[in-house]
Amino acid sequence: MSLAAPRYAFAAPFETPPASPIRSLMPYAMKPGNISVAGGYPAQELFDVDGLTAASNQVVARLGTCLQYSNIDGQASLRTELARLTAERGLVCDPDTELAVTGGSQQALALISRVMLQPGDHAIIESPAFPNSVQALRYTGATVHTVPSGPDGVDVDALDEMAGRIKPKIVCVVASFSNPCGATISRQRRLRLLELAVKHQFLIVEDDPYGELRFAGEMVPPIAALAEGEARHWAVYISTMSKTMAPALRIGWIVAPAEVRRRCVGAKAADDMASSAWIQEVVAQYLADGRYAQHVPRIQAAYGSRCDAMAQSLTQSLAGRIVFNKPEGGMFFWARLNGDIDATRLLPYAIEQGVVYVPGKVFYADPAQADLYAMRMSFATMNESQIAEGMTRLGRALDACEANAPVSISLAA
Amino acid sequence: MSLAAPRYAFAAPFETPPASPIRSLMPYAMKPGNISVAGGYPAQELFDVDGLTAASNQVVARLGTCLQYSNIDGQASLRTELARLTAERGLVCDPDTELAVTGGSQQALALISRVMLQPGDHAIIESPAFPNSVQALRYTGATVHTVPSGPDGVDVDALDEMAGRIKPKIVCVVASFSNPCGATISRQRRLRLLELAVKHQFLIVEDDPYGELRFAGEMVPPIAALAEGEARHWAVYISTMSKTMAPALRIGWIVAPAEVRRRCVGAKAADDMASSAWIQEVVAQYLADGRYAQHVPRIQAAYGSRCDAMAQSLTQSLAGRIVFNKPEGGMFFWARLNGDIDATRLLPYAIEQGVVYVPGKVFYADPAQADLYAMRMSFATMNESQIAEGMTRLGRALDACEANAPVSISLAA
């Protein structure tokens, strides 16, 4: 009897699992002594361990009441707290009919994608974008199109033209401090997105993991918060605790029109039954304790200072050889090499020098559109002196690459 | 501008969200004084609060190291413990290439469904079955067929015939103490299922939430544990901590051939990124502490005693009016009214008398096949005297229904 694996008949989106170029860099990013600006992780040393421990202790004291199945849409305590927090961001919603707890914003995006999309349907996402967001759309079997995004966010005129042509059911953007671009969509463009949603009858889905991490400039309300009249039916907002509290909680939420939200909850019932009632109670307790409101400014301050350090050291160490827009919040710089050397060619030299970044091309759903000279650099997880040292190393790497020096690191294309 | 909700173009499986007849009974089940055998929940008073608190305290003491993103396939500590536990059940697997942590067994089923199925594909599930399992299959857009199941589990000859005809990609069964039937598939039938999987090239997916809750008879190994040679490529095993530790953990796992498992992990990356590292560490710690091995026998003993009580009181209070097979484990009795009155007609009388069960028909994916006289009764959450009282009330309800007495409760059909 043969022991060779058979050729399984996988569903089409799973026939060829996508490579994960970011994950393949992790061994280098984790190597002691190396400086990594490659990760999309929040800063571990900033986690509010004391506050989370206090919340956890309160929940464990009543643990016997937190061990059953949760409501599919989430614990009432947490929905109430999340609705309050969302209202502080400018978006008022009913915690019972318009808000549901999800397994991070990733699950929120997966649920709304599944509820709306099937093979033959179309979706649009800005480009560049976070690859897992693209995958959530693609795994529905729908066709995913991209519309260019830049320092001011998605190109609304290109979107208007494309939406008229392909009739997307959903359009996805990160409106504040996007990953990878660090871009923020202006209020005017947000209003335009709402107009287009009504005109073309698509759901405009804003994924907002970073919006609270603003350390400069003026707050712009969530897209759904700006919706009036008919536009209210087409605006969906999703967010997460992963960047402000901790990723390990796996707590996010979705705010959507009741008819849409109801189906997302149905999809969640078949997906994982509910999120952990235990962890939901910890998050609700942490929010009710007021620790969240105290903690977020600490992250803002730290990231703001690290962002300044990156801008300064990029200017010092790579003057004239790299261009960038300094973001007003979030975790990411989107920088561009302006010589002949592209970001993929530079990478082994950088790793050899002990600094790791992510080539921008991995964030393009359509490789043909990729900006080969772009690179994503996170300022979140390194302190100011590490960042300065990292940019010095990057300068040295660029020197070596320009000199066509031999390099010991070999990476998969 | 109109404020009426537009007609959204949902994906086909979400156009008409399924009703949840079990959930609609919950207000009656929760009413103080009522006795509910309707729930699918484990007994809350049996949760090992002390053991979980001890594990939680150990994890919180090192909380700063448990707050980042987990590996998508789960924390190494937990995968190791789960592989050990699975081996104790007879199924040996590699924790790094064949096992992955999931959000309960529900997510495991959702992932394997998504990886294998798309519109145009076919799947088979035993009938009756847990409605959320059916939904996980249906939400892929595939066509879901049913094969009859009974006291000995799925009808393997009917499956053989159907599989030859419709070419399913996956076949799903609960092989031990099924929900709702309480049925266990014999070793011989399990071997036959493996033969059929090889013959028709489908994945045989065993969902095993209840297998450890055996309080009588002899243990039968998981289907995948019996697979030899080529059959090893076609056997998938999924399980969960929900019935033995606590549902609120939302920790389950899947054991699958490496090629299949790898794609399930890819699907999970786009679904929710990972399960909570915090909770995973709590579960791993609890298992490593040896508390799990100490605790499961306590549940077995309690459920065994409650099962005996239900059998006795059904015999006493409804002698000759109801038939049932006494299960050897799990949580459920599948009983059948043997007069003219069906389970839906009886239900309002039962609720009026203060006892709530679930009519069996809600467990049939194809309503045309439903056994209208069947009812699912859980013995897990009520103690022996409550069960006895509940069956007395059921007898009274049947009296009233037979007498065609007026009834104050009105339920949706």
Side-chain angles (χ1 to χ4, degrees):
Chain A
M1 218 181 279
S2 163
L3 281 175
R7 225 181 104 50
Y8 296 106
F10 295 112
F14 293 92
E15 272 165 18
T16 312
S20 179
I22 303 180
R23 232 156 241 275
S24 69
L25 292 174
M26 283 304 121
Y28 301 112
M30 310 281 280
K31 193 179 157 197
N34 274 4
I35 289 169
S36 173
V37 295
Y41 288 23
Q44 181 148 335
E45 75 279 11
L46 295 177
F47 291 146
D48 182 11
V49 174
D50 290 346
L52 289 168
T53 300
S56 174
N57 288 342
Q58 291 173 80
V59 170
V60 169
R62 53 183 158 88
L63 188 59
T65 65
C66 309
L67 292 175
Q68 272 295 11
Y69 288 101
S70 171
N71 294 324
I72 299 165
D73 61 355
Q75 299 286 95
S77 58
L78 182 56
R79 281 187 282 108
T80 303
E81 289 293 335
L82 292 176
R84 196 186 46 67
L85 179 64
T86 309
E88 285 174 13
R89 298 179 187 177
L91 177 58
V92 174
C93 69
D94 179 334
D96 295 325
T97 62
E98 295 177 313
L99 185 147
V101 176
T102 60
S105 61
Q106 184 70 38
Q107 190 184 47
L109 184 59
L111 295 176
I112 189 81
S113 299
R114 230 169 271 149
V115 159
M116 298 306 300
L117 301 173
Q118 59 190 341
D121 287 339
H122 299 269
I124 296 177
I125 190 164
E126 62 188 329
S127 179
F130 180 48
N132 286 33
S133 302
V134 178
Q135 280 308 122
L137 296 166
R138 281 195 174 147
Y139 279 158
T140 64
T143 305
V144 179
H145 308 259
T146 58
V147 67
S149 192
D152 303 316
V154 66
D155 180 338
V156 284
D157 293 324
L159 176 62
D160 188 13
E161 184 279 322
M162 182 181 281
R165 195 156 37 83
I166 67 161
K167 311 286 180 208
K169 283 180 163 181
I170 69 180
V171 173
C172 298
V173 296
V174 175
S176 299
F177 322 128
S178 67
N179 177 6
C181 283
T184 296
I185 302 178
S186 68
R187 176 188 284 260
Q188 274 317 105
R189 279 204 187 187
R190 291 181 193 220
L191 291 169
R192 187 80 199 288
L193 286 173
L194 289 165
E195 272 175 42
L196 296 180
V198 172
K199 175 179 172 187
H200 299 292
Q201 309 268 291
F202 60 71
L203 289 175
I204 175 77
V205 178
E206 175 183 359
D207 182 6
D208 187 31
Y210 311 109
E212 274 185 331
L213 302 179
R214 177 179 284 280
F215 41 73
E218 260 184 47
M219 194 264 203
V220 192
I223 296 172
L226 300 171
E228 291 180 358
E230 200 180 335
R232 294 176 60 99
H233 297 307
W234 297 105
V236 174
Y237 177 78
I238 66 190
S239 191
T240 177
M241 287 298 169
S242 293
K243 305 304 188 289
T244 48
M245 283 180 68
L249 303 166
R250 308 310 307 129
I251 294 295
W253 68 103
I254 185 166
V255 179
E259 278 295 289
V260 176
R261 180 261 194 200
R262 187 159 69 97
R263 285 167 174 86
C264 289
V265 172
K268 186 167 167 67
D271 198 20
D272 65 7
M273 295 287 287
S275 293
S276 164
W278 182 342
I279 289 287
Q280 287 187 67
E281 288 294 330
V282 171
V283 175
Q285 188 68 57
Y286 185 85
L287 288 162
D289 287 349
R291 303 293 294 240
Y292 188 84
Q294 290 162 26
H295 182 59
V296 170
R298 288 200 287 265
I299 310 178
Q300 291 165 338
Y303 286 8
S305 168
R306 290 169 186 193
C307 178
D308 286 346
M310 186 168 275
Q312 263 178 27
S313 51
L314 269 175
T315 306
Q316 278 166 12
S317 302
L318 291 135
R321 305 162 88 184
I322 203 163
V323 291
F324 59 89
N325 290 287
K326 193 177 162 191
E328 297 186 330
M331 296 165 46
F332 301 112
F333 262 71
W334 184 245
R336 195 168 189 281
L337 294 162
N338 58 9
D340 293 335
I341 291 165
D342 71 37
T344 302
R345 192 169 152 226
L346 177 60
L347 186 57
Y349 290 92
I351 292 173
E352 193 172 59
Q353 291 294 333
V355 62
V356 190
Y357 63 84
V358 184
K361 70 172 183 182
V362 311
F363 298 98
Y364 289 83
D366 177 356
Q369 297 175 340
D371 182 344
L372 301 179
Y373 295 85
M375 45 213 285
R376 186 191 78 174
M377 294 196 285
S378 165
F379 48 83
T381 53
M382 297 283 132
N383 66 30
E384 290 77 351
S385 64
Q386 290 169 316
I387 287 171
E389 171 63 18
M391 296 307 103
T392 303
R393 293 179 186 182
L394 193 62
R396 264 187 250 134
L398 198 47
D399 294 340
C401 189
E402 282 175 349
N404 223 350
V407 64
S408 61
I409 305 288
S410 145
L411 301 166
Chain B
M1 220 180 280
S2 162
L3 282 176
R7 224 178 106 49
Y8 296 105
F10 294 112
F14 292 92
E15 272 164 19
T16 312
S20 179
I22 303 180
R23 232 156 242 277
S24 69
L25 292 175
M26 283 304 120
Y28 301 111
M30 310 281 281
K31 193 178 157 198
N34 274 4
I35 290 170
S36 173
V37 294
Y41 288 22
Q44 181 149 335
E45 74 280 10
L46 294 177
F47 291 146
D48 182 11
V49 174
D50 289 347
L52 288 167
T53 299
S56 174
N57 288 343
Q58 292 173 81
V59 171
V60 170
R62 53 183 158 88
L63 189 59
T65 65
C66 309
L67 292 175
Q68 273 294 9
Y69 288 101
S70 170
N71 295 325
I72 299 164
D73 61 355
Q75 299 287 95
S77 57
L78 182 56
R79 280 186 284 107
T80 303
E81 289 294 335
L82 292 177
R84 196 185 46 68
L85 180 64
T86 308
E88 285 174 14
R89 298 179 188 176
L91 177 58
V92 174
C93 68
D94 180 334
D96 295 325
T97 61
E98 296 176 313
L99 185 148
V101 176
T102 60
S105 61
Q106 184 70 39
Q107 190 184 46
L109 184 59
L111 295 176
I112 189 81
S113 299
R114 230 170 271 149
V115 159
M116 299 306 300
L117 301 173
Q118 59 190 339
D121 286 339
H122 299 269
I124 296 177
I125 189 164
E126 62 189 329
S127 178
F130 179 48
N132 287 34
S133 303
V134 177
Q135 279 309 122
L137 296 166
R138 280 194 174 147
Y139 280 158
T140 65
T143 306
V144 179
H145 307 259
T146 59
V147 66
S149 194
D152 302 317
V154 66
D155 180 338
V156 284
D157 294 323
L159 176 62
D160 189 13
E161 184 280 322
M162 183 181 280
R165 193 157 39 83
I166 67 161
K167 311 287 179 206
K169 284 181 164 182
I170 70 180
V171 173
C172 298
V173 296
V174 176
S176 299
F177 323 127
S178 67
N179 177 6
C181 282
T184 296
I185 302 177
S186 68
R187 176 188 284 259
Q188 275 316 105
R189 279 205 187 187
R190 292 180 193 219
L191 290 169
R192 187 79 199 288
L193 286 172
L194 289 165
E195 272 175 41
L196 296 180
V198 172
K199 175 180 173 187
H200 298 292
Q201 308 267 292
F202 61 70
L203 290 175
I204 176 76
V205 178
E206 175 183 358
D207 182 7
D208 186 30
Y210 311 109
E212 275 186 331
L213 302 179
R214 178 179 284 281
F215 42 73
E218 261 184 46
M219 193 263 204
V220 191
I223 295 172
L226 300 171
E228 290 180 357
E230 201 181 334
R232 292 175 60 97
H233 297 307
W234 297 105
V236 174
Y237 177 78
I238 66 190
S239 191
T240 178
M241 287 299 170
S242 293
K243 305 305 188 291
T244 47
M245 283 180 67
L249 303 165
R250 308 310 308 127
I251 295 294
W253 69 102
I254 185 166
V255 178
E259 279 294 289
V260 176
R261 181 262 193 198
R262 187 157 71 96
R263 286 168 173 85
C264 290
V265 173
K268 186 166 167 68
D271 197 20
D272 65 7
M273 296 285 289
S275 292
S276 164
W278 182 342
I279 288 286
Q280 286 187 68
E281 288 294 331
V282 171
V283 175
Q285 188 68 57
Y286 184 85
L287 288 162
D289 287 350
R291 303 293 293 240
Y292 188 83
Q294 291 162 25
H295 181 60
V296 170
R298 288 200 287 265
I299 309 178
Q300 291 165 337
Y303 286 8
S305 169
R306 291 171 186 190
C307 178
D308 286 344
M310 185 167 276
Q312 264 179 26
S313 50
L314 269 174
T315 306
Q316 279 169 11
S317 301
L318 290 134
R321 304 162 89 183
I322 202 163
V323 291
F324 59 90
N325 290 287
K326 195 177 161 189
E328 297 186 329
M331 296 165 45
F332 302 112
F333 261 70
W334 184 245
R336 195 166 190 282
L337 295 162
N338 59 8
D340 294 335
I341 291 166
D342 71 37
T344 303
R345 190 166 156 229
L346 177 60
L347 186 57
Y349 290 92
I351 292 174
E352 193 171 59
Q353 291 293 334
V355 62
V356 190
Y357 63 84
V358 184
K361 69 173 184 183
V362 311
F363 299 98
Y364 289 83
D366 177 358
Q369 297 175 340
D371 182 344
L372 301 178
Y373 296 85
M375 45 212 284
R376 187 192 76 174
M377 295 196 285
S378 165
F379 48 83
T381 54
M382 297 283 133
N383 66 31
E384 291 77 352
S385 64
Q386 289 170 317
I387 288 171
E389 170 63 19
M391 297 307 101
T392 303
R393 293 180 185 181
L394 194 61
R396 263 188 249 132
L398 198 48
D399 293 340
C401 189
E402 282 175 349
N404 224 350
V407 63
S408 59
I409 305 287
S410 143
L411 301 167

